[in-house]
Amino acid sequence: MNYAFKWSVLWSGQSGAWLLQGLITTLELSAVAWLIAVALGILSGALRTVPFRPLRWLATFYVEFFRNVPLLVWMFFWYFAVPPLLPRPAQDWVFNHGAEFWAGTAALGVYHGARMSEVIRSGIGAIPRTQFEASVAMGLTTFQAYRLVILPVALRLIVPPGTNESLNLLKNSSVALTISVAELTFQTRQIETYTAKAIEALTAGTLIYLVLCLSIATIMARVERAYAIPGLISRTQAG
Amino acid sequence: MAETAIRFSGVNKWFGKLHVLREINLAIGAGEVVVVCGPSGSGKSTLIRTVNGLERVQGGDVVVLGESIARRGVNLPALRTRVGMVFQSFNLFPHMTALENIMLAPMKVKRVARPEAEKLARALLERVGLREKAANYPANLSGGQQQRVAIARALAMQPRIMLFDEPTSALDPEMINEVLDVMTSLAREGMTMMCVTHEMGFARRVAHRVVFMDEGQVVEEGTPDEFFRAPKSDRGKQFLSKILTH
């Protein structure tokens, strides 16, 4: 092996600033996309179980359409195909405010929303139908029954698979480098290009992703315990 | 009975090809306690579930407190606030304490302020003998206690009618009486009650009328005394001999 390690490339020159910028962009991209994914996931996951067929179809169409096309294709779609379809003022706004970032956010959020939807639907499916009946039998509307009973219970049940899906979203944010979003992976590639030190650059990226994901997993395990439904098995298994 | 609380007229319902309710005609007066019994699969649970619209009827109508349930555009949530229901499987909400379970509907449906709702809920817990269990989650209550909380929860909306769908069928034998006692005192206070139950002792002591169903039909009805002493139908005789011999 004649590779000469030179770890100092990570803190000399601009590398440190680039990594930090990349980390911040990854966090921003993932956070906004996560909010979109959770909102779409809860909405469509719930709609797939309501007693009204057209709404179920609509939600099913969303899920099957968006989860069955590769994320990479969605990145290109939102970046290259969507902006020309927008009205002129909206186009101008997008191109003046980081079109790559917003296209990446939309691609990531809408794609993972479809996947999150399945997680939430399975959580709702685990709740006996009689819980819904008991809710409406005391005068709650269907909307209230979902908001006050069905979803609060379902969301507690799906913390582990929901965490899994959230970590996937964070890691998949790296795909946004293909439409030039300067996120973490993009920046490690940049360091490599400037220093020709691939192992060092990739090691830095790898470690940052690892620490990020482990921190999120740890926090979510605490959330799971804090909100566990008394009497369910998961309480004793968490952590 | 002066006033009719529930009137089934020509009620029909199918589950696929299965004709589960066949031409049901039955009236339940205000303040009356009616026990519906019959073998499993006779349609008695389906019948009681038509009263608050958990099952839609496909022929005929159910008129509840003057409101037709089969009418298009019937406001079911509004009607359901006046008709309480207690289920076989308790159905307390697992993420809420006993107190919160009872407070939910008054606060969210009737917009009662929290302190008032809490006062009401505590009074109801006291009434079902569970004052000290207010902070317990359903998982930390016995089956009988859960069902008593479920009754308190239904009463929190101050309903005019209470529906009981096999309220003791999921309970261990030693817990059945604590639930029946609550139901008995409710009946004594003049609540209109429709109860699907296999508790023939309760029917005998508390019911004004027993309705016997088989294969989706009302086979016979009468006072508990008439029905238990001398059932008119052969199917009624058979049913009684099966459930009273063990």
Side-chain angles (χ1 to χ4, degrees):
Chain A
M1 194 179 85
N2 54 8
Y3 184 88
F5 283 97
K6 194 180 171 199
W7 294 100
S8 63
V9 298
L10 294 178
W11 49 85
S12 56
Q14 284 182 286
S15 298
W18 284 341
L19 282 176
L20 186 65
Q21 267 309 314
L23 172 63
I24 290 170
T25 304
T26 287
L27 287 175
E28 284 173 348
L29 177 64
S30 303
V32 180
W34 188 81
L35 290 176
I36 295 172
V38 168
L40 286 175
I42 290 176
L43 182 68
S44 64
L47 286 184
R48 291 192 78 185
T49 66
V50 296
F52 186 57
R53 199 170 285 155
L55 287 177
R56 285 208 300 271
W57 282 341
L58 187 71
T60 306
F61 172 79
Y62 161 65
V63 170
E64 298 303 349
F65 188 66
F66 281 93
R67 74 169 175 167
N68 288 315
V69 172
L71 177 59
L72 185 56
V73 175
W74 284 126
M75 286 284 171
F76 293 150
F77 173 81
W78 287 96
Y79 185 52
F80 294 113
V82 171
L85 300 175
L86 297 175
R88 196 61 213 226
Q91 262 184 51
D92 291 344
W93 189 90
V94 166
F95 283 114
N96 289 326
H97 290 81
E100 306 83 17
F101 179 85
W102 292 111
T105 306
L108 202 58
V110 175
Y111 172 81
H112 276 281
R115 296 175 51 100
M116 204 66 98
S117 173
E118 285 295 273
V119 171
I120 285 160
R121 183 169 72 104
S122 73
I124 294 173
I127 301 170
R129 172 136 201 96
T130 48
Q131 286 275 313
F132 175 74
E133 291 180 344
S135 312
V136 295
M138 49 195 214
L140 297 181
T141 61
T142 299
F143 180 72
Q144 285 179 315
Y146 269 81
R147 185 168 62 86
L148 300 167
V149 178
I150 305 300
L151 284 173
V153 175
L155 290 178
R156 285 164 162 88
L157 295 178
I158 56 105
V159 172
T163 303
N164 203 22
E165 203 46 53
S166 304
L167 296 179
N168 274 342
L169 184 152
L170 180 91
K171 289 176 287 181
N172 279 345
S173 68
S174 60
V175 178
L177 83 83
T178 56
I179 54 169
S180 334
V181 179
E183 46 69 68
L184 185 55
T185 307
F186 180 98
Q187 299 290 17
T188 59
R189 303 277 303 148
Q190 173 147 295
I191 294 171
E192 185 198 331
T193 307
Y194 274 70
T195 64
K197 289 292 172 196
I199 295 179
E200 290 84 343
L202 286 171
T203 303
T206 305
L207 284 178
I208 294 175
Y209 278 118
L210 202 61
V211 169
L212 270 183
C213 288
L214 284 173
S215 316
I216 292 173
T218 308
I219 293 168
M220 292 312 282
R222 286 184 180 214
V223 169
E224 188 187 357
R225 252 168 299 166
Y227 286 94
I229 294 168
L232 288 191
I233 297 168
S234 61
R235 184 158 80 158
T236 51
Q237 284 182 343
Chain B
M1 295 289 160
E3 194 191 337
T4 306
I6 309 171
R7 182 185 297 281
F8 302 89
S9 38
V11 170
N12 278 286
K13 185 170 177 72
W14 289 262
F15 286 144
K17 280 187 179 159
L18 190 68
H19 200 171
V20 284
L21 295 178
R22 301 165 185 249
E23 274 310 296
I24 304 283
N25 292 295
L26 186 69
I28 296 176
E32 200 180 8
V33 177
V34 172
V35 162
V36 183
C37 63
S40 146
S42 58
K44 50 197 193 304
S45 276
T46 308
L47 183 70
I48 199 172
R49 287 160 58 87
T50 63
V51 176
N52 62 354
L54 288 182
E55 302 284 357
R56 303 309 297 261
V57 300
Q58 287 156 321
D61 196 4
V62 187
V63 176
V64 182
L65 301 169
E67 287 244 33
S68 156
I69 210 108
R71 187 173 58 83
R72 258 184 183 283
V74 60
N75 187 347
L76 281 178
L79 182 73
R80 283 164 174 162
T81 61
R82 304 199 289 162
V83 182
M85 188 168 208
V86 175
F87 297 82
Q88 177 174 355
S89 47
F90 326 136
N91 286 325
L92 293 183
F93 306 134
H95 61 308
M96 297 179 187
T97 63
L99 197 69
E100 289 165 346
N101 262 279
I102 302 172
M103 290 163 62
L104 182 69
M107 284 175 61
K108 298 298 177 180
V109 180
K110 285 190 174 169
R111 305 276 160 207
V112 174
R114 177 173 282 275
E116 237 176 291
E118 187 175 332
K119 215 171 113 190
L120 171 72
R122 288 195 188 278
L124 284 165
L125 277 176
E126 172 101 54
R127 178 168 170 188
V128 298
L130 292 171
R131 195 180 46 155
E132 74 286 7
K133 300 289 186 189
N136 282 40
Y137 282 90
N140 302 322
L141 296 171
S142 73
Q145 291 170 336
Q146 286 187 58
Q147 193 62 300
R148 280 145 69 196
V149 174
I151 295 174
R153 182 175 70 175
L155 291 175
M157 292 301 281
Q158 287 149 338
R160 302 264 312 274
I161 300 173
M162 284 286 284
L163 308 173
F164 292 86
D165 187 6
E166 305 209 23
T168 58
S169 300
L171 292 175
D172 290 335
E174 77 269 21
M175 294 172 184
I176 289 176
N177 279 332
E178 61 189 75
V179 171
L180 291 181
D181 287 346
V182 172
M183 290 169 63
T184 304
S185 74
L186 206 54
R188 303 260 186 263
E189 289 161 29
M191 177 64 80
T192 307
M193 290 166 60
M194 180 171 176
C195 316
V196 171
T197 181
H198 299 291
E199 292 303 323
M200 293 302 128
F202 171 80
R204 226 177 231 152
R205 276 183 325 228
V206 182
H208 299 116
R209 198 145 49 101
V210 175
V211 173
F212 172 67
M213 286 183 72
D214 192 19
E215 293 180 344
Q217 288 170 309
V218 171
V219 177
E220 67 172 284
E221 51 177 302
T223 64
D225 203 43
E226 287 164 359
F227 179 66
F228 290 113
R229 207 178 296 250
K232 286 171 269 192
S233 64
D234 287 341
R235 282 188 279 180
K237 278 180 198 140
Q238 262 175 22
F239 174 73
L240 282 179
S241 72
K242 272 185 201 150
I243 61 161
L244 295 180
T245 46
H246 63 81

